[in-house]
Amino acid sequence: MKLNEALSIKTENRIAAMDEAERRRAELHLRLPRVKTIDDLLREIPMRALVGESVEELRAESDALASEREQILASCGYDKDYDAPKFDCPDCNDGGYCGIKLCHCVRELMSVENYRASSLAGGLLDKTFESFSLSYYAQGPERDHMETVLEGCKLYADKFPNDNAAGLYFYGGTGLGKTHLTAAIANVVSAKGLSVIYESAQQIFDTVEAVRFNRADISERKKYENCALLIIDDLGAECMSQYSVSAITSIIDMRIVNGKKTLISSNLNHNGLKKSYGERLFSRVVGEFRLFSFVGTDIRLQKIKGVKD
Ligand SMILES: [Zn+2]
């Protein structure tokens, strides 16, 4: 999504919030004539200040009117903000800018929409918790284990971002449901309006390298530090360099410091992780992440062989 599209969505939100506030105010005025009188009086106050009335007296009058209004609303069962516009973003009132700076909500919106567009193209939107089938796992300890994993993931997504773990680490072989549950979490988080970046470790390294050699803007790297949920898919499958290892570790460090969540999916268990990525990343993951192992028999192969869903 382009910036002008995101800004025009914000503007539509803003207009809708103001229209709704207007409608509510008209409703109050119809039901409670005294509130209408108060609002008319309040509107005249700035004008009276301009023609020389005492500012202190006007302020006292205005405070008294406002508190009378609040009391009337409360006694009729209305919230005191009943007819105040309800903007999605309190920081910019859906104007899109804080002063001359672009508001964070616009960046988030672009990122949520970009996630939607890319996940739609990648067929990830239909991978939900509801469509995750436990029947591919052998009855007994294997299925019980995966049921626990499924519940853990659901809970994490529901509570997101209020979970004390810095993230989740999914590990296990190919075709055991890692992508499905990753997408299910991403879909729930993105539906909350939070920004999700879902990329393979290789894509992230390519971008980081491009920034390093000035082939891409620094903001391309910053997005990995700032999004609400960063999903690093297929860690361990990429071509690694000393630089890429240290880059990914520092992105994860930065996110932990800023209280941002990360989901890593990998075919490496924690020992493999230590061997390939070194002590620093290993200790972050083991110390700060919740680890989920994926077990079973490759679901993609089962589907090809026609095992029933
Ligand atoms: Zn905003």
Side-chain angles (χ1 to χ4, degrees), residues 55-96:
V55 173
E56 280 74 39
E57 280 170 30
L58 286 174
R59 187 169 299 141
E61 192 181 326
S62 146
D63 288 348
L65 286 168
S67 87
E68 187 193 345
R69 187 186 205 272
E70 223 178 288
Q71 275 166 16
I72 298 175
L73 291 194
S75 68
C76 298
Y78 287 106
D79 194 71
K80 72 174 161 56
D81 297 322
Y82 181 72
D83 61 335
K86 315 271 184 305
F87 299 114
D88 284 343
C89 175
D91 295 324
C92 68
N93 288 346
D94 294 344

Side-chain angles (χ1 to χ4, degrees), residues 10 89 91-92 94 96 103-106:
K10 293 264 68 165
C89 175
D91 295 324
C92 68
D94 294 344
C103 185
H104 62 89
C105 68
V106 178

Side-chain angles (χ1 to χ4, degrees), residues 169-175 178-179 182 198-205 231-240 248 263-268 273 277 300:
Y169 186 76
F170 288 179
Y171 65 98
T174 307
K178 297 198 300 291
T179 303
T182 301
Y198 188 152
E199 288 186 13
S200 68
Q202 185 68 60
Q203 281 173 294
I204 298 176
F205 291 142
I231 296 172
I232 306 173
D233 197 26
D234 235 357
L235 185 78
E238 72 289 346
C239 311
M240 266 180 293
I248 202 146
L263 193 167
I264 302 175
S265 165
S266 175
N267 54 1
L268 301 167
L273 181 71
Y277 286 89
R300 282 169 253 190

